């Protein structure tokens, strides 16, 4: 029986077992995908056991706080994980542990599905400069968005990303937001702004380009305060749940040999789980 894991600390809130379990059933594969809580101090041993072939696994997903360490410990890191400095998907091939990062794919595939043509954007604004923002910037640069403006409370973090990702990426402090939305055709939120009980900052989307899209990579709640504002101002929006679902596709294919599809049944399954557990 082929087995794969998701490891993190904590990992019990991960929805990956639900997603992969659904695909295993759908394809009648006698495989298993399970959560492996591993503390930071035990992660190197976990990876060493995986590499030695003594663990039951062919590979798995890696989540917070192990993504950077996974990238350092893998034998063969592909160019995307290398550039992001973080891996979320591992697999063994002839005893060699490979690592990639599927978050940028998940981001782009979600928008391909729900708002085709999004990738024609010439100017995009990305709010936030954390780990998740990197994958978004990578995806935008990869599809040729000419101007990518990263806006962050801590300017230095945005500047670090601009330095890392090259000439199309520009760093700005928060007060620049209003001006930057002018003529932009894509706005991506990667922060928890407006959640955790704080009030969302008012964002005026009215000067964005005709047909502009606002999307969020946060998916709990599905309609984030920023998406709610964009909708009330008449803009098209896409929620972040599809990014979670699509980032899981390449890993499942590596471990279990079938490329699964993100469909409405899967989406409904995860939404029902979110409603049960919050
Ligand atoms: P992740 O890996 O999920 O992106 P992170 O690395 O903690 O998480 O980054 C969170 C992002 O949300 C950062 O851009 C953070 O801004 P700072 O770099 O200034 O910390 C942003 N963020 C979180 N809470 C915020 C708030 N109340 N106001 C403005 N930005 C906030």
């Amino acid at each position: 029986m082929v087995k794969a894991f998701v490891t993190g600390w904590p990992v019990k809130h991960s929805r990956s077992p639900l997603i992969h379990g659904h695909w295993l059933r759908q394809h009648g594969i006698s495989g298993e995908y399970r959560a492996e809580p591993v503390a930071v101090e035990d992660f190197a041993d976990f990876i060493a056991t995986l590499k030695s072939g003594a663990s039951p696994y062919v590979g798995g997903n890696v989540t917070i706080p192990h993504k950077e360490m996974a990238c350092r410990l893998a034998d063969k890191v592909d160019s995307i994980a290398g550039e992001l400095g973080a891996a979320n998907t591992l697999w063994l091939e002839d005893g060699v542990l490979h690592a990639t990062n599927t978050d940028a794919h998940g981001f782009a595939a979600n928008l391909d599905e729900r708002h085709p043509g999004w990738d024609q954007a010439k100017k995009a604004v990305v709010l936030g400069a954390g780990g998740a923002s990197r994958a978004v910037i990578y995806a935008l640069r990869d599809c040729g968005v000419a101007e990518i403006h990263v806006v962050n409370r801590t300017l230095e973090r945005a500047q670090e990303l601009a330095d890392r990702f090259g000439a199309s990426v520009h760093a700005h402090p928060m007060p620049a937001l209003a001006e930057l939305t002018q003529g932009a055709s894509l706005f991506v939120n990667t922060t928890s702004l407006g959640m955790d009980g704080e009030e969302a900052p008012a964002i005026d989307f009215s000067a964005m380009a005709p047909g502009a899209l606002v999307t969020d990579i946060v998916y709990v709640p599905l309609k984030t305060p920023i998406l709610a504002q964009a909708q009330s101002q008449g803009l098209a929006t896409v929620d972040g749940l599809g990014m979670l679902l699509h980032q899981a596709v390449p890993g499942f294919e590596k471990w279990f040999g079938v490329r699964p599809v993100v469909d409405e049944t899967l989406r409904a399954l995860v939404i029902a789980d979110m409603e049960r557990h919050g």
Side-chain angles (χ1 to χ4, degrees):
M1 188 195 271
V2 177
K3 294 185 183 180
F5 60 81
V6 55
T7 184
W9 186 261
V11 75
K12 64 176 185 294
H13 301 297
S14 170
R15 293 196 165 88
S16 294
L18 185 66
I19 297 167
H20 291 281
H22 168 76
W23 285 332
L24 286 170
R25 283 193 305 282
Q26 191 176 52
H27 292 284
I29 296 170
S30 96
E32 199 184 327
Y33 181 98
R34 65 172 187 236
E36 278 277 2
V38 176
V40 171
E41 61 271 26
D42 297 328
F43 188 68
D45 282 347
F46 179 80
I47 293 296
T49 309
L50 177 65
K51 282 186 187 182
S52 74
S55 91
Y57 298 117
V58 297
N61 286 127
V62 179
T63 186
I64 292 164
H66 302 318
K67 289 182 175 192
E68 288 80 13
M69 187 67 111
C71 197
R72 285 198 289 274
L73 295 174
D75 299 313
K76 207 156 193 287
V77 175
D78 74 358
S79 60
I80 183 162
E83 188 165 356
L84 295 176
N88 72 345
T89 303
L90 302 175
W91 69 100
L92 281 167
E93 222 173 278
D94 302 324
V96 173
L97 186 64
H98 291 252
T100 189
N101 190 311
T102 65
D103 286 335
H105 163 77
F107 173 77
N110 180 37
L111 297 189
D112 286 346
E113 180 197 323
R114 302 190 90 83
H115 198 91
W118 70 275
D119 52 347
Q120 298 308 306
K122 299 274 180 288
K123 179 180 180 186
V125 177
V126 179
L127 182 57
S133 168
R134 290 180 182 205
V136 169
I137 295 167
Y138 186 102
L140 297 180
R141 195 195 57 184
D142 200 45
C143 66
V145 177
E147 269 182 57
I148 303 165
H149 297 280
V150 183
V151 179
N152 199 44
R153 176 177 59 183
T154 311
L155 179 61
E156 295 74 45
R157 285 185 94 189
Q159 190 57 52
E160 199 185 300
L161 296 189
D163 295 343
R164 176 186 279 257
F165 287 99
S168 57
V169 183
H170 310 275
H172 308 271
M174 290 295 254
L177 196 58
E179 201 185 314
L180 288 168
T181 55
Q182 289 174 25
S185 31
L186 183 63
F187 183 100
V188 186
N189 176 49
T190 72
T191 73
S192 56
L193 267 179
M195 295 190 303
D196 307 327
E198 338 156 16
E199 195 152 325
I203 301 176
D204 180 3
F205 295 107
S206 62
M208 286 187 69
L213 173 69
V214 177
T215 186
D216 207 312
I217 66 164
V218 174
Y219 61 91
V220 184
L222 269 187
K223 193 196 277 194
T224 63
I226 285 177
L227 291 184
Q229 284 191 56
Q231 274 176 18
S232 70
Q233 294 176 39
L235 278 99
T237 61
V238 173
D239 66 60
L241 178 56
M243 178 174 172
L244 171 76
L245 306 179
H246 282 282
Q247 65 76 33
V249 168
F252 189 92
E253 185 178 25
K254 287 276 183 224
W255 312 313
F256 301 113
V258 177
R259 190 159 184 95
V261 169
V262 171
D263 59 13
E264 282 307 315
T265 313
L266 176 62
R267 195 175 150 85
L269 193 72
V270 177
I271 290 174
D273 185 68
M274 284 162 56
E275 281 165 1
R276 268 196 306 276
H277 303 292

